[in-house]
Amino acid sequence: MTSGEGKVVCVTGGSGYMASWLVKFLLKRSYVVKATVRDPDDPKKTEHLLAPAGAKERLHLFKANLVEEGSFDPVIDGCDGVFHMASPVCFLQQMTHRFAGATFPNEMYRFVDDRDVACAHVQAFETPSASGRYCLGGQFAHFPEVLEILPEYYPSLPLPESYRAVATGTERMSRGGDGKVVCVTGGSGYIASWLVKLLLQRGYTVKTTVRDPNDPKKTEHLLALEGAKERLHLFKANLLEEGAFDPIVDGCEGVFHTASPVSFSPTDDPQVDLIDPALKGTLNVLRSCAKVHSIRRVVLTSSAAACIYSGKPLNHDVVIDETWYSDPAICKELKAWYALSKTLAEEAAWNFAKENATDLVTMHPSFVIGPLLQPTLNLSVEMILDLVNGAETYPNGYYRCIDVRDVANAHIQAFEIPSASGRYVLTAYVTTFSEVLKIIRENNPTLRLPEKSTESMFKPYQMSKEKAKTLGINFTPLDLSLADTIESLKEKGFLKI
């Protein structure tokens, strides 16, 4: 590489980790490099810099003080470019201890090779069109995956064998809601409870509706959340009562409509049990929102069920995305009443939004798993409980799921990101029930899990993640979601071992 012949550049903090590689690459490219170090007489700061090819002829070391004005003037004089690397880093000691001790963090690890970072700096200088900011994140891995690789190269290295729970990325979100008021309907539900929690963490004031504010099963877990005492307000509201949401959404900037019954079981009256609450409830909430000028966006919790019953063949090669819509006639024919309720509610919502210029976004999660906040059992987590609580068989089919924390985070991102629009399919993993049981068995060897399978209605199609990724969602690893689900079921008393 000889792009730097005849050019002079400066690298501040030249003895640092990234800067040392940058100096090496620049020398390889034939640049004359002027590098600053705290103490040019300290061999720990200079010997490794003076060793690379070209250093003897083209590397010049200078002492400079970051906090001394003018100390860099003679160093950068005559340079074509400057790479300012020098800056204290205070979290590295914490990071180097991630693998220390008896446990490791059960979370995602995001990293990039130092050589790639150095090369990117050089390219950012040499490429005339380069501008603005560049995010350098080369790889994503789960810490257990990292620990599987290390012994191959360092078999004698002592490594932890068990994990410790940490807050997921969605639980460590920054405060973006300070001073803003939002409404969450059906706040005591599974997804809604996490949505309320994350909104409070972000500094929002949250007005949420519950069927009965005097029922501790509906409210205690919400009132216990951090920030609830100061910024959570509970209201009673009836989905079927027109105008019931008027005083609740008044003064809000955003509304998250999650309230809707969920049931896959046969029902004597699907119209009353499922369709009316979903359809009429959605329209009632939207009518209330249309009266409030401060509301800039409504985020509606729909379902993947509003996408999959289209009548098109479903096989391994099929990828369902946001362009797929369930056909109400097919839902009726199959007696898929929940899917019908979600399909009709979404269709009515989009028609209303178009007629009333409402900024609407709809979210379409598949089966949602992860820890419970509410004391009651919801349907999607109950599916996991049924698998691990003495079942004799499991479905010989495919399982599509996403962590409840990621679903809640996606709702918030869909509200906060100005460019977010339309529909979002939310599915993190498409796997098999047998693989789900394998993961659970590895973490819970004492559980009695089914060994035999039965024919299943769960077909082998895929679901797109592409649009969901534009919301900046880093999906929680499946094994962590399942581990947290099982642990939550134990804590809540649903699973006894």
Side-chain angles (χ1 to χ4, degrees), residues 339-394:
L340 179 61
S341 73
K342 286 297 189 181
T343 300
L344 294 177
E346 187 198 2
E347 181 181 32
W350 283 116
N351 288 336
F352 183 94
K354 184 178 180 180
E355 294 167 4
N356 294 273
T358 300
D359 187 342
L360 176 69
V361 176
T362 62
M363 315 302 284
H364 300 263
S366 53
F367 290 122
V368 183
I369 59 173
L372 302 161
L373 290 179
Q374 81 281 5
T376 55
L377 191 61
N378 64 292
L379 188 64
S380 57
V381 174
E382 187 176 10
M383 289 178 63
I384 298 295
L385 177 61
D386 289 343
L387 273 180
V388 302
N389 205 23
E392 296 296 329
T393 60
Y394 64 88

Side-chain angles (χ1 to χ4, degrees), residues 228-250:
K229 185 176 180 180
E230 301 81 16
R231 291 178 282 106
L232 178 63
H233 307 282
L234 303 180
F235 297 83
K236 183 176 182 178
N238 186 337
L239 282 172
L240 300 178
E241 183 183 329
E242 188 168 348
F245 292 87
D246 288 2
I248 304 166
V249 302
D250 186 41

